Amino acid sequence: MTGRRVDIAIIGGGLIGCSIAWHLTKQGVRPLVLEAEIVGGQASFAGAGMLGAQVEMQEPGPLFDLGVASRAEFPALCEALKEETAIDPEYVAEGMVRVASTPEEAEELRTRGDWQRQAGQRSEWWTPEELREHLGYPMAPCEGALYLPDDHRVEAPRLVKALARAAVLAGAEIRQNEPVVKIDSGARDVRITTPRAVYSAERAVVAAGAWSSLLLGRPEWQNRVFPIKGEAVLLEAGLFPLRKTVFARDIYLVPKADGRLYLGATEQRNTWSKEPSAQGLAQLTERANARVPELKTLAVSEIRVGLRPWSDDGLPYLGPLPDSDRLWIAAGHGRNGILLTPITGRLLAEWLVSGRSSPLLRAFHPSRIVRRSS
Ligand code: GLY
């Protein structure tokens, strides 16, 4: 078994791990990324790619602020990645509509639009007729929709591949099929054991999505981050006119740049299974067909399943563990991992290198587990 010293090790080669790695290379660091299987092979590959900084947030607060700030980084990030790697993350600036099915939901969404506008974000209310006109196809009767012109989208599998390739081109090392079996953090280093080697890292960041609590292996971190399974179906959209993402309470429809339509997503707790279930797929197609009857005739092209890394208090954990300045975590992004990829990577890389954390990250500090359990 070989032993090796590294400056910064990142455990997990998904969107978050690869984003931290790439941003570290911009700070002159050459990190080591250890990925148990293949880069982006888990939740990063399954995600719809919605940048729902407004659609996913029900109240103002630090997650809303972080999401809005991260969303703003996508145009420059995607341009840079295209330039550096020739992989296009397919950033499409078409906005999103959040459909209201009942008068109560319409009221709730109008209120959401109001506080988001007061917070400086754009939104408009569309009547059912305006919605029909903008979409170009008929939907089931509804009470109108909140139009969010700045909630755009990307293709998550392309984004993670581009980040990984850009990181490697800039000097990061990514070792795939090398699962971490043990992490020991001491006063002098973090020792990371895999079947191939024992690494001694100055600092290590666990960015292993739903597996992060398990990997930390400490009782106080048990179930802080856990999986919520999501299933999605991609349809071949053929001549069906696709422009804007449509988000409703029970289903969302995300047009893809390759002419497909992504129907997402189920939410299932208490499982590590990544098998698509008959019930989940039926739920998605029935809900989509009920909203847009024309979808019934489209062919199924692909099924995607991922385990979202949920956190026990609904916020990601970002920063050093309370009892160690060597061992860090960046996990628990829940439904917002793709949206939060740029800002998580940039701010964690800056913090790791400069020792100074951004005020935007204050609410996400892992030390909150101590406050909550005391
Ligand atoms: N971001 C949408 C979802 O997790 O389903």
Side-chain angles (χ1 to χ4, degrees):
M1 176 115 13
T2 56
R4 246 183 75 190
R5 264 199 91 74
V6 295
D7 189 2
I8 299 183
I10 297 166
I11 299 164
L15 276 166
I16 299 297
C18 290
S19 180
I20 298 170
W22 182 65
H23 281 94
L24 278 170
T25 64
K26 302 280 168 208
Q27 305 274 326
V29 179
R30 297 175 156 218
L32 168 71
V33 180
L34 294 167
E35 164 52 45
E37 294 180 8
I38 57 158
V39 155
Q42 301 292 347
S44 307
F45 253 72
M50 290 183 293
L51 308 179
Q54 292 178 249
V55 84
E56 292 277 7
M57 307 298 165
Q58 284 158 27
E59 56 190 23
L63 192 59
F64 173 68
D65 297 341
L66 195 70
V68 166
S70 196
R71 188 183 64 184
E73 297 193 5
F74 271 90
L77 171 73
C78 292
E79 273 313 307
L81 292 175
K82 249 194 296 188
E83 179 77 26
E84 289 175 30
T85 68
I87 299 173
D88 181 356
E90 294 178 348
Y91 176 75
V92 177
E94 273 287 348
M96 187 178 304
V97 286
R98 173 66 174 85
V99 177
S101 308
T102 63
E104 296 73 37
E105 207 185 349
E107 186 53 40
E108 187 197 316
L109 291 176
R110 281 175 183 275
T111 307
R112 200 185 299 184
D114 289 345
W115 70 252
Q116 292 188 347
R117 270 194 307 279
Q118 278 159 21
Q121 300 309 311
R122 298 194 299 164
S123 71
E124 288 168 29
W125 186 256
W126 285 352
T127 63
E129 295 71 38
E130 286 168 328
L131 179 64
R132 164 82 176 82
E133 216 167 279
H134 284 289
L135 292 183
Y137 54 85
M139 283 190 68
C142 69
E143 297 290 325
L146 187 67
Y147 174 49
L148 303 168
D150 300 310
D151 270 1
H152 300 314
R153 59 184 186 257
V154 290
E155 175 61 351
R158 285 175 161 266
L159 180 63
V160 70
K161 275 190 214 160
L163 279 166
R165 186 179 291 178
V168 168
L169 288 172
E173 182 184 0
I174 300 186
R175 296 177 68 92
Q176 302 190 93
N177 299 308
E178 189 161 344
V180 169
V181 292
K182 196 156 178 271
I183 304 171
D184 296 299
S185 83
R188 293 152 62 101
D189 66 358
V190 182
R191 294 182 79 74
I192 303 165
T193 309
T194 77
R196 290 198 224 152
V198 178
Y199 301 93
S200 158
E202 278 289 309
R203 272 157 317 155
V205 185
V206 175
W211 290 264
S212 298
S213 268
L214 292 179
L215 271 168
L216 284 172
R218 297 160 165 232
E220 70 277 20
W221 279 93
Q222 207 185 342
N223 292 327
R224 297 281 180 194
V225 182
F226 54 92
I228 296 221
K229 179 180 177 182
E231 294 153 303
V233 174
L234 280 135
L235 302 178
E236 284 300 343
L239 298 178
F240 189 78
L242 294 176
R243 294 273 305 268
K244 300 196 181 309
T245 298
V246 174
F247 194 118
R249 196 178 35 204
D250 58 357
I251 187 84
Y252 51 78
L253 318 175
V254 188
K256 290 284 150 198
D258 63 4
R260 297 191 296 169
L261 180 63
Y262 180 112
L263 315 181
T266 59
E267 280 189 9
Q268 195 189 347
R269 286 177 181 256
N270 300 322
T271 180
W272 287 95
S273 152
K274 286 186 284 166
E275 298 301 318
S277 70
Q279 186 188 19
L281 302 184
Q283 199 182 73
L284 290 169
T285 48
E286 279 161 19
R287 288 175 179 179
N289 295 342
R291 292 271 164 196
V292 187
E294 272 190 63
L295 298 182
K296 280 196 187 87
T297 55
L298 302 184
V300 171
S301 152
E302 190 186 337
I303 292 163
R304 290 188 191 167
V305 184
L307 299 176
R308 300 178 186 86
W310 222 265
S311 85
D312 56 347
D313 65 0
L315 301 179
Y317 288 103
L318 306 173
L321 300 197
D323 61 348
S324 164
D325 55 1
R326 295 194 181 275
L327 185 54
W328 293 46
I329 180 169
H333 292 73
R335 293 176 60 94
N336 300 304
I338 298 161
L339 169 68
L340 297 176
T341 287
I343 201 129
T344 303
R346 184 172 64 76
L347 294 184
L348 260 76
E350 286 172 8
W351 188 359
L352 281 157
V353 172
S354 72
R356 285 186 302 279
S357 75
S358 159
L360 268 177
L361 292 181
R362 202 165 290 141
F364 309 103
H365 200 293
S367 64
R368 68 189 190 271
I369 70 162
V370 179
R371 290 197 298 276
R372 285 207 313 268
S373 51
S374 58

